[in-house]
Amino acid sequence: MRVIGIETTCDETAAAIVATSEDGRGTILADEVLSQIAEHAAYGGVVPEIAARAHVEVVDRLVARALAKAGLELADLDGIAAAAGPGLIGGVIVGLTAAKALALVSGKPLLAVNHLEGHALTARLTDGVQFPYLLLLVSGGHTQLLAVRGVGDYVRLGGTIDDAIGEAFDKVAKLLGLPYPGGPQVELAAKAGDPERFALPRPMLGRPQADFSLSGLKTAVRLEAERIAPLSEQDIADLCASFQNAVVDVVVDRTRVALRAFQEIAPRPSALVVAGGVAANGALRRGLQRLATESGLRLVAPPLELCGDNGAMIAWAGIERLRLGLTDGLDAPARARWPLGTPFAEANVAASESVAAQSVVDEAAP
Ligand code: KG4
Ligand code: ZN
């Protein structure tokens, strides 16, 4: 099976082709990504109109380049996948419309993939991870803990009530005068910093639900920075290190809580998987590795180029869906908002009802 995946939900235009072998494992035949970071850098964040226009300008070229790299023609493909949301709607429309046009001219099925599902299933492409597993998705737009029980079967164990983690990194970088995107800059500066110098809050630590709140932490960094201004290079390094340390503490605590909740709605996870751009952060990976070891779980983190937004994850999710016959019509909508999966409370009620029903059956048995 060979599927092309198109990704245009944020500031990366990407097209990739993934093929499956006899044993069902995936191979990336082409993986083209064009980042628009330079176009948005002057604004300190992604400007939706600039993003949409930039996607229009390059998407057809990227598709052609991916086909050429893979040595394939459109007719050799089995499906055309695109991220149909959630994301910046102008960009989503560009990628999805390109995919619809390709599907129409080639007569191949369309796969309108949820971008989050792409992140969620990547570990199966890179590491062959078996269902169910716990996914921590941490990017500039998303912060979620998901129980991945099967293709199309996800339970939201927790998420952020305000900023995404990557967004918090970007905002902290901005207020400290570091360039965009801020995550890698904060991590770099933190290497020379003292993580204990500033006593920053750990929002939500110890709460029974696996939710996050980042905006108070970001404000605490701002107040400390204002208190000691003007900032020396060492001050910036110490603020970055203290902030990163607080984020890691919070993420590890929230993930531990999610692991507990996981047991109520699914069998034991086969792995703890981390995905999204922030998964590139070394301190975070080390914190999660400690948690995985303590929990007797394997930590799986896709290679850096597949952590951020890319086309391969969309192509792979397309393959997973195509295998199950989950194709879409040409009327598939582009969606700015598209939550993935069921909230925990709902899934938990369903799980306890099925346990109760089973015990009635057991009791009735002779
Ligand atoms: O997944 P991604 O490429 O795009 C989406 O947001 O969907 O994630 C980008 C985010 C940005 O906020 C960026 O600052 C953050 O990931 N990031 C990092 C690191 N590398 C990227 N955050 C912390 N440490 C890093 N090393
Ligand atoms: Zn993403």
Side-chain angles (χ1 to χ4, degrees), residues 168-216:
F169 268 93
D170 293 338
K171 288 179 175 171
V172 162
K174 194 173 182 182
L175 72 91
L176 296 176
L178 300 172
Y180 173 86
Q185 302 289 332
V186 170
E187 180 173 22
L188 193 64
K191 287 195 201 307
D194 172 7
E196 311 287 342
R197 176 165 161 205
F198 299 97
L200 297 173
R202 266 73 175 152
M204 298 285 196
L205 206 76
R207 294 275 188 95
Q209 263 101 40
D211 288 325
F212 295 79
S213 168
L214 275 305
S215 81

Side-chain angles (χ1 to χ4, degrees), residues 286-300:
R286 285 189 292 279
L288 291 171
Q289 184 58 62
R290 283 195 301 277
L291 174 63
T293 306
E294 162 199 314
S295 316
L297 289 174
R298 178 160 78 112
L299 176 70
V300 175

